[in-house]
Amino acid sequence: MELNQIYFYTATILNWKRLLKKDEYKNIIINSLQYLSAKNKIAVYGFVIMPNHIHLIWEMLEKNGKEMPHASFMKYTSHQFLEHSRTYYPQILPYFQTSDQARNHRFWQRNSLPVWLYTPAVLEQKLDYIHDNPVVEKWSLANEPAQYYYSSAQFYETGIDDFGFLKHYGDSM
């Protein structure tokens, strides 16, 4: 990903495990997005947190030290998932063990997918997709997109930003 470009980004939990079903893990993601937004490292235009993956529409504004903000986000959330699991859910840790020499546990699959959103129409199509994700039959997490809390759908419907980090894409394109 390049700085100052808007991307649709998907990150999946290792082996599609439903780690993010618990709100505690969703809140780790929210906290990281809040921090990076407050430090002006990212702009978040849309998101949804599903039980085993996330979708973001975001822009990298500047590096976080020597690394890109998305790398900081992935590292930080992984570390927090590990610490939280060690304390409250140690029984799940074997599902995330790895033989990787750099770490003992991995929470995110390595194939995170960024897609450059080169026009407002493409961005709107992706935004509709992520907002509809919780209401599709496979998930049935809500009846209407704005009813699902861990999403930007309510922000786009009402203008209310419960998370304090959302920006309307119309303000940047």
Side-chain angles (χ1 to χ4, degrees):
M1 287 195 286
E2 296 179 24
L3 292 175
N4 303 306
Q5 298 291 324
I6 299 175
Y7 290 89
F8 170 76
Y9 185 81
T10 300
T12 305
I13 297 296
L14 186 68
N15 298 322
W16 294 87
K17 296 289 183 196
R18 294 185 176 204
L19 179 72
L20 304 176
K21 190 172 181 178
K22 292 188 176 295
D23 289 353
E24 301 131 283
Y25 292 99
K26 291 183 197 91
N27 289 330
I28 288 169
I29 291 170
I30 296 298
N31 292 340
S32 182
L33 294 172
Q34 288 170 333
Y35 175 83
L36 290 168
S37 293
K39 295 291 185 186
N40 295 314
K41 304 299 180 187
I42 63 171
V44 180
Y45 303 106
F47 80 98
V48 68
I49 305 172
M50 300 299 290
N52 60 11
H53 66 284
I54 62 171
H55 296 296
L56 297 162
I57 295 176
W58 61 353
E59 179 178 4
M60 306 294 110
L61 300 175
E62 66 178 48
K63 287 188 173 186
N64 188 31
K66 294 181 180 181
E67 65 188 5
M68 291 292 281
H70 71 281
S72 297
F73 171 80
M74 299 298 278
K75 276 202 271 186
Y76 175 80
T77 54
S78 289
H79 178 75
Q80 293 301 306
F81 292 163
L82 178 60
E83 293 305 312
H84 190 79
S85 298
R86 279 184 175 148
T87 303
Y88 300 103
Y89 306 104
Q91 68 277 12
I92 71 165
L93 288 174
Y95 296 104
F96 299 100
Q97 281 186 312
T98 180
S99 57
D100 187 341
Q101 296 206 354
R103 62 186 52 90
N104 293 327
H105 296 88
R106 179 175 302 281
F107 290 91
W108 296 110
Q109 290 188 173
R110 289 184 178 211
N111 60 345
S112 297
L113 178 67
V115 175
W116 177 46
L117 302 177
Y118 49 91
T119 67
V122 173
L123 188 149
E124 289 168 4
Q125 184 267 331
K126 294 298 187 189
L127 193 61
D128 288 343
Y129 171 79
I130 67 174
H131 290 163
D132 289 340
N133 218 293
V135 301
V136 297
E137 187 176 340
K138 174 183 178 178
W139 297 109
S140 297
L141 299 173
N143 292 323
E144 297 291 327
Q147 292 174 343
Y148 185 66
Y149 183 72
Y150 289 96
S151 163
S152 54
Q154 180 184 340
F155 171 72
Y156 281 96
E157 191 169 299
T158 67
I160 298 169
D161 177 9
D162 285 340
F163 306 103
F165 60 75
L166 290 166
K167 296 186 183 315
H168 195 287
Y169 74 89
D171 296 338
S172 69
M173 294 192 104

